[in-house]
Amino acid sequence: MSEFDIWGYRPTTGYQQGTDLIGYKVEATDGSIGKISKHSEEVGASYLVVDTGVWIFGKHVLLPAGTITLIDAVQETVYVDRTKEQIKDAPEFDEAQHTSEPTYLEQFGRYYNMPHM
């Protein structure tokens, strides 16, 4: 697997700068995981926060933009290249830490940059 920027949108996803992804459904490789409750377009730190709802009891998970394989604006669905299990095992998103801890995103970078599959 070649190294790529986990925090950037891949050119093949169809992402358009300025697109509001909040409310879009998120599909893992093996099924739906929830809806986007927040997203960032910050260069070098783009990500989604997914509200998993009842699937993992209201947990919010952060997915770096580099995990996105396709954005379907018509169906309002974002597809990611991780399984439900991999997403469930990710560190939980913590809004307070995210805004106060400069190195907070590094734990997600380490987790998601691990070879998958």
Side-chain angles (χ1 to χ4, degrees), residues 64-83:
T67 62
I68 299 169
T69 56
L70 181 68
I71 297 169
D72 183 335
V74 176
Q75 298 292 322
E76 294 194 351
T77 302
V78 172
Y79 296 87
V80 296
D81 65 359
R82 298 300 193 274
T83 65

Side-chain angles (χ1 to χ4, degrees), residues 33-49:
I33 62 158
K35 291 191 179 211
I36 298 171
S37 61
K38 177 179 181 163
H39 74 102
S40 160
E41 296 180 321
E42 189 177 325
V43 174
S46 297
Y47 61 84
L48 309 172
V49 175

Side-chain angles (χ1 to χ4, degrees), residues 25-64:
K25 295 184 293 286
V26 180
E27 290 285 326
T29 57
D30 57 352
S32 180
I33 62 158
K35 291 191 179 211
I36 298 171
S37 61
K38 177 179 181 163
H39 74 102
S40 160
E41 296 180 321
E42 189 177 325
V43 174
S46 297
Y47 61 84
L48 309 172
V49 175
V50 181
D51 179 352
T52 60
V54 297
W55 175 55
I56 32 182
F57 306 108
K59 182 175 171 181
H60 285 76
V61 293
L62 183 143
L63 290 167

Side-chain angles (χ1 to χ4, degrees), residues 63-117:
L63 290 167
T67 62
I68 299 169
T69 56
L70 181 68
I71 297 169
D72 183 335
V74 176
Q75 298 292 322
E76 294 194 351
T77 302
V78 172
Y79 296 87
V80 296
D81 65 359
R82 298 300 193 274
T83 65
K84 290 165 79 171
E85 191 68 25
Q86 287 171 318
I87 294 164
K88 187 175 75 143
D89 291 343
E92 186 163 0
F93 177 70
D94 181 327
E95 183 73 46
Q97 268 195 302
H98 174 255
T99 53
S100 66
E101 192 65 45
T103 59
Y104 182 66
L105 291 179
E106 288 176 14
Q107 67 179 313
F108 296 98
R110 282 192 301 275
Y111 180 81
Y112 287 109
N113 259 325
M114 292 188 304
H116 49 281
M117 300 303 159

